Amino acid sequence: MILARNTSNPFTPVMTASALFALISFVWSLSGFLSPTTSSFGEYTSSEIFQEVGGHVLFGLLVGAPTFNLSLALVCGASSILIDLDHALSALGFQVLARSAHSAIFALVAGLIVAYMTSPSQNRPILSVTIVGGVLSHLSYDTFAGYGVFPILAPFSYSLYSFPAWTWLGLELSAMTLVLVTTFKVRRLPLLKIRGPKST
Ligand SMILES: [Zn+2]
């Protein structure tokens, strides 16, 4: 088990990491009140909601697959959809910038917090990168679906950056590559440790 030890239900760590990610995403969305502009996005119309949710989860699972670990793949799929909790305040009618978690800064901060709070130290790098990959896969599907406008530097800047439709493939492939490279790098660590320090 990558996420945690000594748990009777193998999916408890997945749910813990996913719930924490969802909480961070919602709390982060409060920073949308700092934005000088407000916005809302219409991707969750009733006719498209299943396509939207399914697309995000599928893109997330694809990015999580190169971990070769079911728990991590599920966390990746979950984070890819749960990031949209940053729409909640806007959907509730508050005058706020929606999508403030659609940000590179958010990806890094959420990845670090979830990994440090839910995972033993040797597994934190791959869990952090899996969550960053989940966020990238989300941006990939949004771009693919025609909603590729993100405050990518929030909360440092709330300017909205428009991603051309073709960049979805680059976002998804770079996320998969990042996860794959980290998976192999992490697996090499024990070998490096066994070798030990050089004697002089
Ligand atoms: Zn989104």
Side-chain angles (χ1 to χ4, degrees):
M1 179 56 64
I2 288 278
L3 298 179
R5 302 179 200 133
N6 302 329
T7 173
S8 51
N9 184 341
F11 292 105
T12 300
V14 174
M15 287 187 283
T16 304
S18 301
L20 181 59
F21 178 86
L23 179 67
I24 297 166
S25 183
F26 179 74
V27 171
W28 188 276
S29 76
L30 294 171
S31 75
F33 283 113
L34 302 174
S35 170
T37 58
T38 63
S39 66
S40 60
F41 295 87
E43 64 259 52
Y44 286 101
T45 56
S46 55
S47 60
E48 291 179 7
I49 190 163
F50 291 111
Q51 183 183 330
E52 186 74 18
V53 171
H56 279 308
V57 173
L58 177 65
F59 272 45
L61 289 174
L62 279 173
V63 167
T67 61
F68 308 105
N69 179 283
L70 179 61
S71 301
L72 288 172
L74 290 174
V75 168
C76 198
S79 56
S80 184
I81 183 66
L82 292 171
I83 182 182
D84 267 344
L85 280 173
D86 70 350
H87 287 264
L89 290 171
S90 171
L92 289 170
F94 290 97
Q95 292 299 305
V96 62
L97 181 82
R99 282 192 162 181
S100 53
H102 290 46
S103 150
I105 319 296
F106 168 80
L108 293 171
V109 171
L112 288 173
I113 292 175
V114 173
Y116 272 81
M117 291 187 70
T118 67
S119 188
S121 58
Q122 70 270 27
N123 297 328
R124 287 173 187 159
I126 187 61
L127 181 56
S128 295
V129 168
T130 298
I131 285 173
V132 170
V135 173
L136 285 174
S137 78
H138 181 94
L139 302 185
S140 172
Y141 185 80
D142 273 351
T143 305
F144 174 75
Y147 299 103
V149 181
F150 311 118
I152 199 74
L153 298 175
F156 297 124
S157 162
Y158 288 96
S159 301
L160 292 170
Y161 293 86
S162 191
F163 283 53
W166 57 266
T167 58
W168 75 268
L169 187 59
L171 285 165
E172 183 76 355
L173 289 179
S174 57
M176 291 174 80
T177 304
L178 188 65
V179 168
L180 185 65
V181 168
T182 307
T183 298
F184 282 110
K185 207 168 172 57
V186 168
R187 286 187 176 182
R188 278 216 313 274
L189 282 176
L191 296 176
L192 292 173
K193 273 184 189 163
I194 288 165
R195 201 177 295 155
K198 283 181 185 172
S199 56
T200 51

